[in-house]
Amino acid sequence: MKTFRELDEATGQAKGAAFRAFKRLEPGLREGQDFLLLWPGRDDTLIGELRTQDRVYRNSVNIVLLDDALAERLLKHLSGSLEPGQ
């Protein structure tokens, strides 16, 4: 699973680019299948591991983990090889 920070860095985009691409696609996505939303208080151990591994932005509160297929789709959007909505 990938994080927004990892996608931003992989494509050389500024912070927030992967999140904005995700928000455009979100209406057609399913939580628990396409992505996982981690919440402080409920997922502190995993959030701590992601922070220790420097995989998330320092100020992120709720963390989104993207499954591999969605991460690949977002990478294509960010690199400009897919039109919006694909």
Side-chain angles (χ1 to χ4, degrees):
M1 299 197 94
K2 299 289 184 189
T3 67
F4 293 134
R5 180 178 182 169
E6 291 170 320
L7 297 183
D8 287 341
E9 290 177 352
T11 57
Q13 300 286 323
K15 177 183 177 184
F19 175 74
R20 288 187 297 277
F22 170 80
K23 292 304 279 183
R24 287 191 297 273
L25 297 176
E26 189 176 18
L29 302 176
R30 290 176 284 187
E31 185 176 351
Q33 181 175 344
D34 299 310
F35 66 95
L36 295 175
L37 181 57
L38 305 180
W39 293 89
R42 184 188 77 187
D43 302 303
D44 289 338
T45 301
L46 184 51
I47 291 171
E49 290 173 16
L50 293 168
R51 288 190 193 288
T52 299
Q53 296 166 0
D54 207 26
R55 294 181 60 196
V56 296
Y57 291 111
R58 184 179 343 156
N59 295 329
S60 296
V61 176
N62 299 323
I63 308 296
V64 177
L65 291 177
L66 310 164
D67 83 340
D68 292 338
L70 177 57
E72 187 63 32
R73 194 170 158 199
L74 287 172
L75 282 170
K76 288 178 181 177
H77 278 281
L78 293 169
S79 67
S81 59
L82 270 185
E83 295 297 318
Q86 288 186 317

